[in-house]
Amino acid sequence: QVQLVESGGGLAQPGGSLRLSCVGSGFTFSHYAMSWYRQGPGNQRDLVATISSADTTNYADSVKGRFTISRSNEKNTVYLQMNSLNLEDTGVYFCHAVRRDSRYWGQGIQVTVSS
């Protein structure tokens, strides 16, 4: 049974930081590209950051220089370090795994940036 379980969300002030984690199980984690998506109030789910199985990273323009995606294949975990948070970073963050035709989603975790 495949599972992606996110943690680390919550409330942060503008300019603050949060670190999201996503633990995968039930599949060969190291073979998958891992991503974080964000779903805002408009319900569109947008790609935030991706890390390939070879550790190549890509970021949405809105988070470049502020967010860092990383992975530990030993721990079957992908991380999203979020710094200099702003109000527009508020949303539900989803962990995503993809390899060829196989793709999985986590259940999502709320991040709220508010003063």
Side-chain angles (χ1 to χ4, degrees):
Q1 178 184 357
V2 172
Q3 281 192 311
L4 291 171
V5 180
E6 299 101 336
S7 62
L11 178 65
Q13 292 187 336
S17 298
L18 285 173
R19 188 195 197 202
L20 304 183
S21 299
C22 170
V23 179
S25 60
F27 63 103
T28 308
F29 184 88
S30 62
H31 292 180
Y32 281 68
M34 301 299 299
S35 300
W36 288 96
Y37 283 76
R38 177 171 66 209
Q39 187 166 333
N43 287 325
Q44 180 176 338
R45 196 173 292 189
D46 295 321
L47 180 63
V48 174
T50 296
I51 185 165
S52 74
S53 58
D55 284 346
T56 301
T57 58
N58 282 288
Y59 298 90
D61 288 342
S62 61
V63 306
K64 281 180 182 177
R66 300 188 299 120
F67 289 12
T68 302
I69 189 170
S70 60
R71 66 189 296 161
S72 168
N73 292 333
E74 292 74 23
K75 297 181 179 180
N76 284 3
T77 302
V78 61
Y79 305 96
L80 186 68
Q81 177 66 44
M82 304 187 293
N83 298 329
S84 301
L85 287 162
N86 58 52
L87 301 180
E88 290 71 34
D89 295 319
T90 294
V92 179
Y93 285 71
F94 293 87
C95 180
H96 179 258
V98 62
R99 178 176 184 257
R100 297 177 182 169
D101 294 334
S102 297
R103 48 185 73 232
Y104 310 113
W105 290 96
Q107 81 284 357
I109 192 164
Q110 179 70 42
V111 170
T112 301
V113 183
S114 175
S115 56

